[in-house]
Amino acid sequence: MKKIGFIDYFLDEWHAEKYPAMIEAATNGQMQVTYAYGKIDKPGGLSNNEWCAKKGIELLSSIEEVVEKSDYLIVLSPDHPEFHEELSELPLRSGKPTYIDKTFAPDRKTAQLLFGWASEHGTPMYSSSALRFAAEYEAVSREGIDTIFSFGPGKFENYSIHQIEPIVALMGSDVTRIMYTGTARFPSLLIGFADGRQATVNHFGNPTSFGTTINYASGEAKSLKIESDFFGSFIRNLVRFFETGEGGVDPAQTVAIITIIEYGLKAALSPHQWIEMPRS
């Protein structure tokens, strides 16, 4: 059995709650989350000790211990990416396959730093929104896409990645400019690519499902409602990554996604104006 270690800001959160059983089921018990570390106890929630006792996972007192004892590593903190640099440094220097949960980094500079650490130390690493692996996106042709209209729930800060990740997966990472077109309550972002193609990200109220309309240069359009088990597909991809060291996500795309989110927040301060994206 291969042992997986969790490293989190606090452990009482949705991803940490769900991943252990999903990974165990996907591997018939050949991979299990056995160790965990949390930087703080969740305010108003379970302490890390209480969470581990409930899950039957051994709580360790340091990131160093988790890295040493585990075969594979998962850095969580999905809604607090500002801690990913601190939580990921030792894993990325370890050489052990490491998955870093969404949102990968708070900004472009940190994203490049994390990939630099992984490259320097030969550590297999990737990050992704689970939405990248939705069967609906996998089934559509990427050739000839001209525009994408995407919509979904949640706040821009921590949920825009679930729309931007599939857009970049389908259209590529050569984004040159963005424009904020939404309101304070309902964010919307226009993404411009170097060749003139465009995509829009739209956040609506709850309950809203994820959906996309893809327009092709041929005049054909495809409307997708995301109903597949994308988390199951993601977990299978994660297992393959641990087995092979290959994550299947181009680092350039991950950096582009983080840059779009970072500059999207900046663009919200100057709505309806194009903001140029960094190119190096």
Side-chain angles (χ1 to χ4, degrees), residues 103-248:
T103 301
F104 177 60
D107 51 47
R108 178 183 180 87
K109 180 180 178 181
T110 304
Q112 292 173 328
L113 174 67
L114 297 183
F115 277 115
W117 282 342
S119 176
E120 179 183 354
H121 296 277
T123 301
M125 181 268 281
Y126 87 112
S127 179
S128 180
S129 160
L131 268 293
R132 173 184 282 266
F133 303 102
E136 292 84 358
Y137 295 129
E138 296 285 344
V140 300
S141 173
R142 287 154 168 75
E143 294 297 321
I145 294 177
D146 185 69
T147 60
I148 286 180
F149 171 82
S150 174
F151 60 89
K155 295 181 179 179
F156 184 90
E157 290 87 338
N158 65 338
Y159 257 63
S160 62
I161 191 168
H162 296 315
Q163 297 185 57
I164 296 170
E165 182 99 36
I167 286 170
V168 171
L170 291 168
M171 299 182 74
S173 58
D174 196 9
V175 175
T176 58
R177 59 183 187 169
I178 58 173
M179 179 190 294
Y180 188 88
T181 59
T183 67
R185 290 186 177 181
F186 302 109
S188 180
L189 192 70
L190 178 60
I191 301 170
F193 290 80
D195 57 6
R197 295 174 301 146
Q198 293 185 345
T200 57
V201 171
N202 299 273
H203 288 262
F204 298 130
N206 290 321
T208 299
S209 300
F210 288 103
T212 305
T213 296
I214 302 172
N215 295 285
Y216 290 88
S218 64
E220 180 187 10
K222 292 184 180 296
S223 292
L224 310 175
K225 185 178 181 181
I226 309 305
E227 299 177 310
S228 62
D229 178 18
F230 52 83
F231 255 106
S233 298
F234 156 67
I235 291 294
R236 289 189 290 274
N237 181 272
L238 178 62
V239 167
R240 285 194 297 272
F241 163 69
F242 285 147
E243 291 173 338
T244 67
E246 299 293 330

Side-chain angles (χ1 to χ4, degrees), residues 3-11 13-21 23 32-39 51-52 55 57-60 62-63 65-67 70 72-77 87 91 99 101 235 238 242:
K3 298 177 180 180
I4 297 172
F6 275 179
I7 299 165
D8 211 339
Y9 181 48
F10 51 74
L11 290 163
E13 46 92 358
W14 194 90
H15 286 198
E17 183 70 24
K18 298 297 183 180
Y19 285 2
I23 292 169
Q32 293 184 19
V33 177
T34 52
Y35 306 114
Y37 164 85
K39 178 179 171 65
W51 186 89
C52 283
K55 301 291 285 185
I57 293 170
E58 184 179 352
L59 180 64
L60 299 179
S62 68
I63 296 174
E65 285 185 278
V66 177
V67 171
S70 303
Y72 310 128
L73 301 164
I74 296 178
V75 178
L76 292 151
S77 191
L87 297 176
Y99 173 75
D101 213 343
I235 291 294
L238 178 62
F242 285 147

